[in-house]
Amino acid sequence: MVTVSGSTMGTTYQVKVATDQTLDKKALKIELDSELNWINRIMSTWRHDSNLSVFNRSPAGQPMPVPDELIRVLQLSNLIHQISDGAFDVSIGPLVNLWGFGPDAVSDGIPTEARIDEALLQTGIDHLHIQNGTLTRQIELQIDLSGIAKGYAVDRISQLLSRKGLENHLVEIGGELKARGVNDRGKHWLIAIEKPAGLERSIFRTLPLDDLAMATSGEYRHYREIDGKRYSHTIDPRTGKPVTHHLASVTVIHESAAMADGFATAINVLGPDDGMSLAIKQKLSVLFIIKSVNGFVEKRSPSMDTYLKDVKAR
């Protein structure tokens, strides 16, 4: 097993490769870092000079040419937005900042209804026009791809490794993963799902990954406390406010890490009931961990049950 790790997108990455080849780890890391830096130069909201940051400062109504990769991620984002009835929206930057999260946090307390309404008027991916390799902000939108960019980067790194003939690998960026082939023991890659229990780190259960990606979204580590009340970092784009349901975390398995990432975010906004309805309608493999008075309860979508049975039978 060859392991390469580093930092990217405000978090960490780890790549594991099971191979009989003799790999130059230093050269591989340089190649991986180059790919990740390139994605950051396009999609980061933390970099002032990224294509996305420049677009976020562009005049409303003026088309701006952008890289194809940014177009692709925004098209995927729009698809998930439509499927989730607006629960996923990459234009919620003003709301994320208003509630004290994100690169330009502006709030120390609870925003007033008037400020929330004002921020809502600055959001809505429907105001983003995509045509012929250009983007146009029809209003002063601020696009934030934190709910899908890591998954997209995982897909890109997995493709890079496959092109190099390294078919047996596991790619992880900030908790989003994609597995190909088998591990160094010739088995499916087995992924631990963390128990959503505050600062403690323990395993809730494990899931096997068979040439698939996995993304988890939850509010149990990323939150703010204001006047003794906890506010989730997950903002509902439809209300402009943090979610208040009892869904502790949601894990989605999908062929695409970008789609798994986006759907995990959307379902985390929707909550356990509407999220399950979406999973059933879209035939998504989803694992829900729900807070209850007796601890945490696991629920699985029918597609997740089918997947786990199929993997076990192989």
Side-chain angles (χ1 to χ4, degrees):
M1 182 78 76
V2 176
T3 301
V4 177
S5 59
S7 300
T8 188
M9 295 182 165
T11 183
T12 60
Y13 76 84
Q14 186 176 76
V15 171
K16 294 184 177 182
V17 179
T19 179
D20 293 331
Q21 300 181 34
T22 300
L23 287 182
D24 184 337
K25 285 181 59 174
K26 184 177 180 180
L28 180 60
K29 178 172 170 55
I30 290 173
E31 195 169 356
L32 296 177
D33 285 340
S34 176
E35 180 80 0
L36 292 168
N37 287 335
W38 174 75
I39 294 172
N40 264 318
R41 286 197 301 270
I42 296 174
M43 303 183 191
S44 174
T45 54
W46 297 86
R47 286 186 57 150
H48 189 74
D49 60 344
S50 73
N51 293 97
L52 182 58
S53 292
V54 172
F55 173 71
N56 281 339
R57 300 192 301 271
S58 68
Q62 179 176 308
M64 174 178 160
V66 297
D68 291 342
E69 292 76 14
L70 184 54
I71 295 287
R72 176 58 178 159
V73 171
L74 286 170
Q75 288 172 333
L76 292 176
S77 300
N78 191 43
L79 176 62
I80 299 171
H81 172 79
Q82 294 174 357
I83 291 174
S84 66
D85 293 326
F88 182 77
D89 194 322
V90 295
S91 71
I92 64 168
L95 292 164
V96 173
N97 291 325
L98 184 62
W99 282 93
F101 304 102
D104 299 309
V106 296
S107 177
D108 293 325
I110 301 172
T112 63
E113 291 292 337
R115 295 187 72 188
I116 293 172
D117 290 341
E118 181 182 359
L120 281 169
L121 292 175
Q122 302 170 25
T123 67
I125 195 174
D126 294 336
H127 297 295
L128 178 67
H129 189 57
I130 305 173
Q131 186 177 31
N132 298 328
T134 67
L135 300 178
T136 306
R137 301 189 306 163
Q138 296 173 325
I139 63 173
E140 299 290 335
L141 287 180
Q142 294 293 304
I143 304 300
D144 180 352
L145 296 176
S146 59
I148 194 171
K150 290 193 298 295
Y152 177 78
V154 167
D155 286 329
R156 295 284 306 200
I157 293 298
S158 178
Q159 292 164 7
L160 183 155
L161 294 170
S162 292
R163 289 196 302 269
K164 294 174 69 67
L166 304 173
E167 292 291 351
N168 298 314
H169 61 254
L170 177 68
V171 180
E172 181 265 332
I173 301 177
E176 324 304 353
L177 308 103
K178 189 165 191 175
R180 292 293 307 273
V182 294
N183 61 22
D184 56 332
R185 298 184 302 280
K187 305 289 186 180
H188 293 310
W189 296 94
L190 198 61
I191 311 301
I193 305 296
E194 188 175 76
K195 182 177 180 180
L199 296 178
E200 300 175 12
R201 289 190 178 272
S202 58
I203 296 174
F204 183 81
R205 65 159 299 158
T206 58
L207 287 175
L209 274 190
D210 183 14
D211 286 340
L212 291 169
M214 186 181 87
T216 298
S217 179
E219 59 81 31
Y220 54 96
R221 291 201 187 282
H222 304 290
Y223 59 87
R224 294 180 64 214
E225 285 193 3
I226 305 173
D227 297 331
K229 184 176 180 180
R230 179 178 295 190
Y231 292 86
S232 170
H233 80 296
T234 302
I235 308 297
D236 189 332
R238 302 164 299 179
T239 65
K241 299 177 181 179
V243 298
T244 58
H245 52 65
H246 297 291
L247 181 56
S249 78
V250 55
T251 297
V252 177
I253 291 178
H254 197 279
E255 292 179 358
S256 159
M259 294 296 282
D261 198 1
F263 273 125
T265 302
I267 293 172
N268 192 39
V269 168
L270 290 170
D273 297 328
D274 291 343
M276 181 63 83
S277 295
L278 177 66
I280 292 172
K281 184 177 180 179
Q282 296 297 322
K283 296 182 172 59
L284 297 171
S285 298
V286 184
L287 171 72
F288 300 81
I289 302 179
I290 303 167
K291 290 177 287 188
S292 71
V293 292
N294 297 318
F296 296 101
V297 177
E298 172 185 316
K299 290 188 177 181
R300 298 187 298 270
S301 68
S303 293
M304 178 65 87
D305 280 333
T306 299
Y307 167 71
L308 293 175
K309 290 177 182 177
D310 288 347
V311 171
K312 187 176 181 180
R314 286 179 217 157

